[in-house]
Amino acid sequence: MAEEEVKLFGTWASPVSRRIEVALKLKGVQYEYIEEDLTNKSPALLNYNPVNKQIPVLVHNGKPVAESLVIIEYIDETWKHNPILPADPYERAMARFWAKYIDEKFWPAAMKIVVAKGEEQKGEIDEIQQQMKNLEGELKEKKFFGGESLGFLDIAANIIIWLVVAQEALGMDQILNEEKLPVLYGWLQRLLDDAVIKECVPPKDRHLDLCKVKFGSSIASK
Amino acid sequence: MADEIVLLSTWPSMFSMRVRVALAEKGLEYEYREEDLWNKSPLLLKMNPVHKKIPVLIHNGKPICESMIIVEYIDEVWNHKSPLLPTDPYQRAEARFWADYVDKKLYDIGKKIIWSTKGEEQETGKKEFIECLKLLERELGDNPYFGGENFGFVDVSLVTFSCWFHTYESYGNFSIETECPKLIAWTKRCLEKESVSSSLADPHKIHDFASGMRKRFGIE
């Protein structure tokens, strides 16, 4: 059997980078992790992703794959055990739809909340709670979006953890609370408790500090 | 049991056209329903409650939304002919990457050319648009299609923009053929396919449509 060489270019605090780590660990794939400094991108990264010049990039036997959701599908198709995407074409389309929704609707709305103030923030909160209600509708009674185990949408939805941490760092009331969003709240607890997810989130203290620096510039410093 | 396929669409939408091309590639019969986006049908609002947008494919009563997700679904369900994605995982990843690039860049940048009221924004849009097309042209290389020897996923994602080229050129005052001759050659090659020529709108009708919309928004 040929030696597999798998490298992941990422950053410790990036949810899209961490998604790839989740996928690789679910498949039991050994990989070399390279931490990038986004203020000083390596020649290797620029060579492997000349179009977007961004992380994450997966390099498999010298060949690069970019864009987190594209990478996850590549991983799922290359290492076929422990499937991440469902087998049924309709369910696959649904998983892809909701993953795209998270990246293109939910996440920009989440970013607006953490920087908005006063009345504007209230409007953004209403918007994102509606987004989260939509996601709850997709989860229904399941343990995870993927069913009994983590699936494509659970991995994409890891980004919700980043919103939770950002809100904690800023001393905001949690939007994703048990009272308002019980179904999603339950899912989040199960996600945070999952062994693989636990290995693929930034160290809490460092993450909180980073959020304070990134989003808290309007808050008077001590 | 026959499949029941309905497509909720609008005739000028390059996103709807992608689904039409895919359905035609697979030789599928379907019911086409033209939507009025100023007065969305109850069916559209029910089938796409999250985005309330077209295209929506309804297959045996179940809706699928987002054009390239629909195209991939069509490719997976009707896999008996004209495969749009290759079988090799790496080639599939490359195809998804470039289709995603077209999705994320071309439409939004193109909007600046047609709908912008500020000259500077329009100029920037034009420059960025040309850069994107040049990058795509480089990616095409000397292949007849983005899918290599065969028309494929990336071809579907991009070819439907070609009926809007005349409109971009007209408002941006530039020639895509001058900037990207190989890309225009590729669009002509694609238009030789029945699935493409029967699915794309007439470029002059698109231009009239855009002109009408600009007047409606007070830009023209």
Side-chain angles (χ1 to χ4, degrees):
Chain A
M1 187 161 63
E3 270 285 314
E4 295 265 40
E5 193 200 50
V6 181
K7 293 188 193 189
L8 172 64
F9 289 78
T11 59
W12 66 274
S14 157
V16 292
S17 174
R18 293 289 186 166
R19 282 174 182 172
I20 310 307
E21 294 184 56
V22 173
L24 289 168
K25 284 182 199 285
L26 286 172
K27 298 285 189 178
V29 173
Q30 299 290 313
Y31 62 99
E32 180 194 341
Y33 175 77
I34 296 125
E35 175 72 21
E36 276 289 325
D37 173 0
L38 297 181
T39 63
N40 185 22
K41 293 172 183 175
S42 71
L45 175 63
L46 299 176
N47 178 45
Y48 285 131
N49 191 1
V51 175
N52 295 329
K53 305 178 176 53
Q54 285 188 37
I55 55 92
V57 179
L58 187 81
V59 183
H60 182 205
N61 294 334
K63 286 156 70 167
V65 186
E67 289 304 308
S68 68
L69 300 180
V70 174
I71 299 172
I72 297 171
E73 293 223 39
Y74 174 78
I75 290 170
D76 202 35
E77 290 174 3
T78 302
W79 293 279
K80 297 190 201 306
H81 56 284
N82 301 345
I84 290 173
L85 273 135
D88 173 70
Y90 189 76
E91 288 178 43
R92 291 159 73 82
M94 288 299 103
R96 288 174 181 138
F97 172 85
W98 285 106
K100 188 176 158 105
Y101 175 83
I102 282 175
D103 275 357
E104 294 180 10
K105 295 282 174 190
F106 171 82
W107 188 239
M111 286 299 93
K112 280 191 194 168
I113 289 195
V114 292
V115 299
K117 311 278 171 295
E119 272 308 303
E120 197 194 327
Q121 193 183 60
K122 192 176 175 308
E124 301 295 352
I125 288 174
D126 289 339
E127 160 77 17
I128 206 170
Q129 282 186 327
Q130 186 48 54
Q131 309 273 4
M132 288 170 130
K133 278 265 164 233
N134 289 335
L135 276 168
E136 275 200 329
E138 181 58 18
L139 185 61
K140 301 187 242 303
E141 311 264 297
K142 293 182 289 188
K143 181 179 177 186
F144 293 113
F145 289 101
E148 280 304 302
S149 55
L150 298 179
F152 188 68
L153 185 50
D154 298 282
I155 302 174
N158 78 334
I159 213 166
I160 293 177
I161 299 171
W162 269 252
L163 173 62
V164 170
V165 173
Q167 290 203 284
E168 189 180 327
L170 297 174
M172 280 177 74
D173 288 334
Q174 287 294 335
I175 296 164
L176 181 41
N177 59 65
E178 197 166 8
E179 192 201 329
K180 281 265 160 64
L181 292 153
V183 173
L184 207 59
Y185 181 83
W187 164 84
L188 181 67
Q189 305 320 303
R190 293 190 289 276
L191 193 77
L192 291 167
D193 216 30
D194 180 85
V196 171
I197 293 288
K198 277 190 201 177
E199 288 177 36
C200 302
V201 286
K204 189 77 178 283
D205 289 345
R206 274 184 83 192
H207 197 183
L208 284 167
D209 286 344
L210 182 69
C211 287
K212 283 172 191 161
V213 167
K214 200 169 164 185
F215 304 118
S217 54
S218 59
I219 296 167
S221 50
K222 288 188 222 170
Chain B
M1 185 175 68
D3 280 305
E4 194 199 57
I5 305 171
V6 178
L7 174 62
L8 305 183
S9 167
T10 60
W11 73 266
S13 161
M14 63 277 267
F15 303 104
S16 282
M17 287 176 217
R18 287 166 165 179
V19 180
R20 297 186 65 186
V21 171
L23 289 166
E25 278 287 300
K26 302 291 184 175
L28 295 167
E29 304 262 309
Y30 63 98
E31 182 192 339
Y32 176 94
R33 289 203 199 181
E34 181 73 22
E35 280 286 330
D36 174 1
L37 296 183
W38 301 98
N39 186 20
K40 292 174 183 177
S41 72
L43 181 63
L44 173 57
L45 298 176
K46 182 181 168 197
M47 291 287 134
N48 191 357
V50 173
H51 298 300
K52 306 177 177 56
K53 283 175 158 178
I54 54 87
V56 180
L57 190 80
I58 310 172
H59 181 207
N60 295 334
K62 285 156 64 165
I64 304 106
C65 309
E66 295 299 312
S67 61
M68 292 318 289
I69 293 177
I70 298 171
V71 170
E72 199 160 354
Y73 173 80
I74 290 169
D75 201 38
E76 288 179 6
V77 173
W78 292 281
N79 54 12
H80 60 295
K81 73 180 269 198
S82 305
L84 295 171
L85 272 162
T87 48
D88 172 70
Y90 190 75
Q91 288 175 3
R92 290 162 71 85
E94 284 192 309
R96 288 184 179 124
F97 175 86
W98 285 107
D100 181 68
Y101 176 85
V102 173
D103 254 1
K104 286 196 172 116
K105 299 275 182 183
L106 224 54
Y107 181 70
D108 285 337
I109 294 172
K111 276 202 298 195
K112 292 186 207 175
I113 302 173
I114 302 172
W115 312 114
S116 179
T117 49
K118 301 176 201 121
E120 207 181 290
E121 196 188 353
Q122 202 186 36
E123 267 309 298
T124 313
K126 184 171 111 185
K127 287 198 175 91
E128 287 175 347
F129 192 76
I130 293 169
E131 264 169 39
C132 284
L133 291 182
K134 286 191 168 175
L135 182 63
L136 286 160
E137 193 182 50
R138 280 201 294 280
E139 180 57 24
L140 177 65
D142 291 320
N143 292 320
Y145 300 106
F146 285 92
E149 288 304 310
N150 300 307
F151 182 81
F153 195 68
V154 180
D155 300 281
V156 175
S157 74
L158 183 60
V159 77
T160 60
F161 279 80
S162 69
C163 60
W164 277 80
F165 280 177
H166 169 59
T167 303
Y168 291 126
E169 288 171 320
S170 160
Y171 290 113
N173 194 26
F174 67 112
S175 159
I176 294 175
E177 186 151 22
T178 305
E179 302 285 349
C180 303
K182 276 188 175 177
L183 204 64
I184 294 300
W186 163 80
T187 66
K188 289 179 180 160
R189 193 175 304 126
C190 291
L191 278 161
E192 285 169 17
K193 292 171 68 66
E194 171 77 21
S195 61
V196 176
S197 59
S198 64
S199 305
L200 265 51
D202 179 292
H204 295 283
K205 289 192 173 145
I206 294 284
H207 190 278
D208 289 343
F209 167 78
S211 173
M213 290 297 280
R214 280 165 55 103
K215 289 191 177 95
R216 197 167 186 170
F217 291 125
I219 301 168
E220 203 158 286

